[in-house]
Amino acid sequence: MKRSAPLAILSLTALSVTACGDGDGGEEETYTWDFTVTTSNTSTWYEAAELFGETLDEESDGRMQLNIHANEQLSGGDPAAGVEQLMNGDKAFSYNSTIIYDGLDSRFSAINAPFLFADYEQADSAIEAGAEDAYRELSREMGVEMLGFGESGFRQLTTTDTPVTSPDDLANLVIRVPGSSLFLNIFNELGADPTTMNFAEVYTSLQTGTIDGQENPYDVIYSSGLQEVQDHLTVWNYVYDPLILGMNADLYDSLSEEDQQIVQDAAAEANAFQIQQNRELEEEQLAELREDMEVVELSDDELSAFREAMEPVYDAHQEDWTEDLMEAVQPE
């Protein structure tokens, strides 16, 4: 598998070339594809992309090669622009949160509704019961073949000077959030001053004091070294954040059925690995974060104040999420 190719963006027409014979006088296609992740090359996202590439290489007898790019290198650090590249065929694959897709279509954030799931068991049951099928259909509308869900995990909050245990503690704090109206609304309702920026800018902005905090799952916090520039971590599991392993839909449709199956099987293996790694590493990552940060795990009573503050958020987004999608993401 190739992981250090030049950062040239390949168009769909340049993604495949004719290659070796198939034994019956015919010829099979060979492919060199780009895969981007938002996080660094030390994250579970990147590790899963590596496994995906290795499996494609092995199962295709070397016909499918993958170039993996960390930190949204192909879109200048902008995840939303990265999803647009995926949609229009400037690259083949990406891992992106449903939150990033929400910036292009507000329906995608239904599964990110605040405090929707209490734990991974509830999230898993909803995904298996219909959420994954609903998101596969929704992704197709955007020109993306969804190859299943990975997982960024439950999102937590970090701050520089102020430990947060109640909505009052967030008053006027400048918190970086993703480019999503949902997250802007959440933190506005909590009394903070939310701001959006590319994740690539977050570390420096925390370091210089341009922002007071940010929110992300453990793996993103840990692999990005945010504990070096943040003093406080609030564990509140307020949003579940799945990852869409997406492939450009036109490219997927251009493959033979046999090659589509290779891609599907490799994706299923990569997603299962990524989710397992993410969950297994959480306790280890949290323990290491405790060495550098003051960690507060909110009690049920403390969480109830945050949940109550979210009622206007649900009211504001109910129409965007649609009745069908909200039904699909409900925990069993």
Side-chain angles (χ1 to χ4, degrees):
M1 179 185 58
K2 303 173 184 175
R3 285 177 282 157
S4 58
L7 299 185
I9 298 174
L10 301 176
S11 69
L12 274 177
T13 57
L15 287 174
S16 63
V17 295
T18 302
C20 55
D22 62 8
D24 295 318
E27 292 182 331
E28 294 180 294
E29 298 290 336
T30 63
Y31 305 93
T32 301
W33 291 323
D34 283 328
F35 188 130
T36 63
V37 299
T38 305
T39 50
S40 74
N41 60 7
T42 63
S43 66
T44 60
W45 306 26
Y46 193 91
E47 291 175 356
E50 287 185 307
L51 176 61
F52 183 61
E54 291 164 1
T55 305
L56 289 177
D57 185 7
E58 180 179 349
E59 295 302 319
S60 69
D61 295 324
R63 293 186 300 105
M64 298 176 181
Q65 297 293 308
L66 208 61
N67 298 322
I68 305 171
H69 309 279
N71 301 313
E72 295 289 352
Q73 289 173 314
L74 298 186
S75 58
D78 185 344
V83 171
E84 290 177 333
Q85 288 176 338
L86 182 69
M87 291 163 52
N88 65 31
D90 285 337
K91 67 183 177 189
F93 299 96
S94 75
Y95 257 142
N96 282 109
S97 166
T98 52
I99 296 166
I100 305 304
Y101 282 80
D102 170 56
L104 303 171
D105 187 318
S106 58
R107 291 176 294 173
F108 276 91
S109 63
I111 201 168
N112 307 121
F115 302 105
L116 177 64
F117 304 121
D119 50 35
Y120 284 126
E121 184 177 357
Q122 285 192 353
D124 289 344
S125 69
I127 287 169
E128 292 171 6
E132 184 167 354
D133 290 339
Y135 273 78
R136 185 173 289 108
E137 182 177 332
L138 186 56
S139 298
R140 260 287 165 167
E141 294 181 29
M142 306 289 288
V144 174
E145 176 68 21
M146 177 174 152
L147 302 171
F149 275 135
E151 161 180 290
S152 194
F154 281 99
R155 299 177 76 92
Q156 318 300 348
L157 176 70
T158 70
T159 48
T160 305
D161 298 318
T162 306
V164 174
T165 60
S166 73
D168 290 342
D169 296 326
L170 279 165
N172 301 316
L173 292 186
V174 181
I175 304 296
R176 181 270 175 183
V177 298
S180 160
S181 61
L182 171 62
F183 285 79
L184 290 168
N185 288 349
I186 288 172
F187 280 87
N188 276 322
E189 288 296 335
L190 294 174
D193 182 11
T195 187
T196 62
M197 65 176 62
N198 290 342
F199 184 72
E201 303 170 21
V202 169
Y203 185 99
T204 301
S205 296
L206 290 168
Q207 191 174 41
T208 60
T210 303
I211 56 177
D212 298 310
Q214 63 83 53
E215 51 74 63
N216 260 303
Y218 294 127
D219 188 38
V220 176
I221 296 168
Y222 181 82
S223 66
S224 302
L226 299 188
Q227 66 272 22
E228 300 168 3
V229 289
Q230 293 281 262
D231 295 325
H232 302 280
L233 170 64
T234 298
V235 178
W236 60 341
N237 292 347
Y238 85 113
V239 164
Y240 178 68
D241 186 4
L243 302 175
I244 292 175
L245 175 46
M247 181 178 186
N248 176 268
D250 288 338
L251 175 60
Y252 179 82
D253 290 342
S254 75
L255 301 180
S256 67
E257 290 185 7
E258 292 78 7
D259 283 352
Q260 287 178 353
Q261 194 62 53
I262 290 173
V263 169
Q264 290 282 358
D265 291 345
E269 182 178 1
N271 286 331
F273 169 81
Q274 192 276 327
I275 291 171
Q276 180 183 20
Q277 287 293 102
N278 184 66
R279 296 183 186 184
E280 287 181 354
L281 285 173
E282 278 195 344
E283 285 303 315
E284 177 183 330
Q285 289 169 341
L286 179 57
E288 294 196 30
L289 290 171
R290 287 183 189 277
E291 296 178 6
D292 298 304
M293 307 173 78
E294 178 186 339
V295 177
V296 176
E297 299 187 53
L298 299 189
S299 67
D300 287 341
D301 287 343
E302 289 169 329
L303 285 171
S304 65
F306 288 98
R307 290 194 186 98
E308 289 173 9
M310 293 298 97
E311 290 183 15
V313 174
Y314 274 82
D315 291 341
H317 290 271
Q318 201 79 32
E319 186 174 345
D320 289 338
W321 290 336
T322 76
E323 184 176 342
D324 288 344
L325 267 180
M326 284 307 296
E327 182 178 348
V329 301
Q330 288 303 308
E332 295 293 306

